[in-house]
Amino acid sequence: SIPLPASSVVVGGRTDFGLGYSTTGTIERLASREDPAHPPQLVVTTDAAAPPPPTTPTTTTVPSTADTYVFNGAGTQNFGGATPLLLSAASYRSLLRFDTSLLATTTSVSSLALRLSATVGLASGGVQVPAEPDGWTEAGTTWSNQPAWSSQVAATATTQSSPGWIVVALPVSALVAGANTSLGLSYSAAGMIERVSSREDTAHAPQLVI
């Protein structure tokens, strides 16, 4: 056996070696591959416990595929085509849907955020985001038939005093991989109405950043 440095192995290619002898006037004789019982052999030992190479994180931005708001003052009216979306502490609620069906259920998600474009600035309060069941339609949902509103707020983001983008950091548990992810929007401060662009405003549509 001749110990060789690991660097002499060409991983993913062909490894070639030459053979010589160190003493002048002496001839060594080795079996070739034509001697099937004694052909030359290269013995490579790999470290099975070595960790896999690190993967590079990727960021995916998913636009909303449906959105609407409901208003308790118009119990049977649908606002699926409206922009902006309205949200408040009691009277207005908004719903957003994102197609996350292309994400495998085994996907490792390190962060999740919702981006909303506020069309007005509010000096106090914040946007509240509960996770919602997906049983609603953009063109048919009203205050009267809206899905059961979750009392569990997944995240809240303070709004700024001027219009602009709001980023709501969400727990990764709010993501439904392999299906639609549905979210609700309300506002934390009573007596205030926040307005955020809907998907009809293509330059400022809601986005889910994964």
Side-chain angles (χ1 to χ4, degrees):
S1 297
I2 306 174
L4 297 171
S7 58
S8 63
V9 176
V10 182
V11 178
R14 186 173 65 183
T15 299
D16 293 337
F17 294 108
L19 297 176
Y21 203 72
S22 62
T23 304
T24 303
T26 303
I27 301 174
E28 179 60 283
R29 294 168 175 80
L30 303 173
S32 71
R33 70 187 185 94
E34 279 71 24
D35 182 350
H38 306 93
Q41 298 175 340
L42 183 64
V43 180
V44 180
T45 302
T46 59
D47 184 3
T55 57
T56 302
T58 58
T59 299
T60 303
T61 300
V62 181
S64 59
T65 55
D67 52 39
T68 188
Y69 72 87
V70 295
F71 174 40
N72 68 357
T76 59
Q77 186 172 349
N78 170 261
F79 299 94
T83 190
L85 302 171
L86 275 58
L87 44 145
S88 69
S91 298
Y92 293 93
R93 297 170 177 171
S94 292
L95 292 163
L96 306 173
R97 175 180 293 125
F98 300 90
D99 183 3
T100 49
S101 61
L102 294 181
L103 289 173
T105 55
T106 56
T107 302
S108 177
V109 178
S110 58
S111 67
L112 183 67
L114 175 65
R115 294 186 75 234
L116 302 168
S117 179
T119 64
V120 297
L122 296 177
S124 62
V127 176
Q128 297 177 316
V129 185
E132 290 295 319
D134 195 40
W136 58 274
T137 63
E138 183 179 67
T141 299
T142 66
W143 184 273
S144 299
N145 65 12
Q146 65 180 299
W149 197 254
S150 175
S151 60
Q152 184 66 41
V153 176
T156 301
T158 303
T159 53
Q160 56 262 20
S161 57
S162 58
W165 286 96
I166 302 168
V167 179
V168 188
L170 298 172
V172 296
S173 58
L175 177 71
V176 183
N180 289 322
T181 295
S182 188
L183 302 172
L185 299 177
S186 63
Y187 204 71
S188 63
M192 293 187 176
I193 301 174
E194 179 58 287
R195 297 166 173 82
V196 299
S197 297
S198 72
R199 73 188 187 100
E200 279 73 22
D201 182 351
T202 55
H204 304 93
Q207 300 172 343
L208 195 62
V209 183
I210 306 167

